[in-house]
Amino acid sequence: MSDRATVIEVRGLHKSFGGTRAVRGVDLEIREGEIFGVVGPNGSGKTTTVECVTGLQRPDQGRVRVLGLDPERDRALVRRLVGVQLQQSQLSERVTVREALRLFATFYADPADPEELMDTFGLREKADQQFTKLSGGQKQRLSIALALVGNPRVVVLDELSTGLDPAARRDTWAAVAALRERGVTAVLVTHFMDEAEYLCDRVAVLVGGSVVALDTPEALVASVSTTRVRFRARNTDVGALRELPGVREATAEGDALDLTGTGANLAFTVSAELGRQGITPAEFTVHNSGLEDVMLALRTHNQDREART
């Protein structure tokens, strides 16, 4: 993917609201056809950064280019080329799926086929259903379809699965994953780490208005690379467990033991040592690190750095 053209370029972006610095020197480069995640805790600058990219906010400082265009100077053209996920409140409760798609199609010179979009996003059976009667997942799939009705080259999706039940989230994720087949570049703003890990080709982690990490989900997780092994057993030689390769810490409280360390084979190594000690553990569980762990580690590191300065 590194040889693909740059679609969105952000350099030295700063944005403040009153005395609050929402974005501090953000640099991003988003490539053609990728699903790019922007993640971080609440107040980290995710939405403000994306609003500057789409022209909804004016940067205080820095350079933003979308398909080579300035979102502020070339606002009308950028809006034709960039689709933005609509909030539910922007649709009439009585409008049907078909009516909404046909109405929005009239806003563009060369729109996508509303009927094709209904098929792509699993809305055919709900074509004549009023918006208010759609499920949460169906509403979100419609919002994505509406963002694509103008045949945009870029689509921005902001917190698309907030408030959805697990089944609706899975349906929505499937709709977003389908964007790759359409060749659309997607910018996904989310605070759900499992969502970013599942969908995104690359992820930028924002903390305190700055990008503190940017890589593939796999590479970010590998940078933390923590495995936690928990089990219950009596008469365990905890000292021997602490000496095992890859074990960073081993604690015992009664018969409950908790080990953390690195390496794909840590659980096997621990199991082998317990076998050598003649111990059969109970409630043996293994937790491998994910993007949530990356977020926590980066957030803690950033707080420690700010405290030192």
Side-chain angles (χ1 to χ4, degrees):
M1 182 173 293
S2 59
D3 59 344
R4 294 187 181 181
T6 298
V7 171
I8 297 173
E9 181 185 15
V10 179
R11 291 284 180 262
L13 181 66
H14 289 262
K15 180 66 181 178
S16 297
F17 298 96
T20 302
R21 297 176 63 191
V23 179
R24 311 179 184 192
V26 165
D27 293 326
L28 295 175
E29 194 171 293
I30 301 174
R31 302 163 187 157
E32 182 180 16
E34 73 175 328
I35 299 178
F36 186 92
V38 181
V39 307
N42 291 336
S44 63
K46 304 186 302 294
T47 297
T48 300
T49 296
V50 171
E51 287 179 344
C52 289
V53 167
T54 57
L56 296 176
Q57 293 286 350
R58 177 183 296 179
D60 297 332
Q61 183 181 338
R63 168 188 168 91
V64 179
R65 292 294 182 267
V66 180
L67 298 164
L69 303 169
D70 184 328
E72 184 180 351
R73 186 187 62 228
D74 307 307
R75 184 173 303 176
L77 183 53
V78 167
R79 287 183 177 178
R80 289 200 295 270
L81 297 173
V82 178
V84 180
Q85 175 199 2
L86 295 172
Q87 298 299 316
Q88 295 179 9
S89 60
Q90 292 179 273
L91 288 177
S92 166
E93 291 187 351
R94 294 187 177 183
V95 71
T96 68
V97 170
R98 179 179 278 112
E99 288 170 345
L101 285 166
R102 286 181 174 177
L103 172 62
F104 279 74
T106 65
F107 301 157
Y108 301 94
D110 182 28
D113 183 352
E115 303 297 318
E116 180 184 329
L117 286 172
M118 284 191 290
D119 290 335
T120 299
F121 293 102
L123 295 167
R124 170 64 62 185
E125 294 183 359
K126 301 296 180 180
D128 298 314
Q129 192 85 26
Q130 291 183 342
F131 180 77
T132 189
K133 295 181 180 180
L134 299 176
S135 69
Q138 291 161 354
K139 289 178 178 178
Q140 291 293 56
R141 278 183 277 153
L142 175 58
S143 72
I144 298 169
L146 289 171
L148 293 171
V149 76
N151 272 325
R153 293 177 58 186
V154 178
V155 64
V156 175
L157 307 169
D158 192 354
E159 304 291 4
L160 80 164
S161 64
T162 297
L164 299 184
D165 61 43
R169 289 184 75 200
R170 285 195 298 271
D171 288 345
T172 304
W173 288 2
V176 174
L179 296 177
R180 286 191 182 92
E181 299 176 8
R182 303 177 66 89
V184 176
T185 300
V187 180
L188 175 64
V189 182
T190 182
H191 64 272
F192 294 121
M193 296 303 102
D194 56 342
E195 183 168 272
E197 195 164 357
Y198 179 82
L199 288 171
C200 296
D201 299 299
R202 290 189 302 144
V203 174
V205 182
L206 269 67
V207 177
S210 300
V211 176
V212 295
L214 197 165
D215 213 323
T216 65
E218 296 80 10
L220 290 173
V221 170
S223 71
V224 174
S225 187
T226 298
T227 299
R228 171 171 259 174
V229 179
R230 291 176 173 176
F231 59 91
R232 290 186 176 277
R234 295 184 180 277
N235 303 318
T236 306
D237 184 350
V238 180
L241 292 174
R242 290 194 180 101
E243 296 300 319
L244 292 175
V247 172
R248 288 203 303 253
E249 184 178 2
T251 59
E253 186 173 340
D255 65 349
L257 289 94
D258 191 336
L259 290 82
T260 57
T262 59
N265 297 320
L266 182 64
F268 176 80
T269 303
V270 172
S271 296
E273 172 59 23
L274 293 175
R276 189 191 67 78
Q277 294 183 27
I279 292 173
T280 301
E283 302 177 21
F284 192 96
T285 61
V286 180
H287 171 74
N288 293 311
S289 57
L291 272 184
E292 193 73 41
D293 302 279
V294 174
M295 277 287 304
L296 291 172
L298 291 171
R299 191 174 186 179
T300 300
H301 174 75
N302 190 70
Q303 290 171 342
D304 291 343
R305 184 182 62 185
E306 289 188 349
R308 290 194 299 270
T309 58

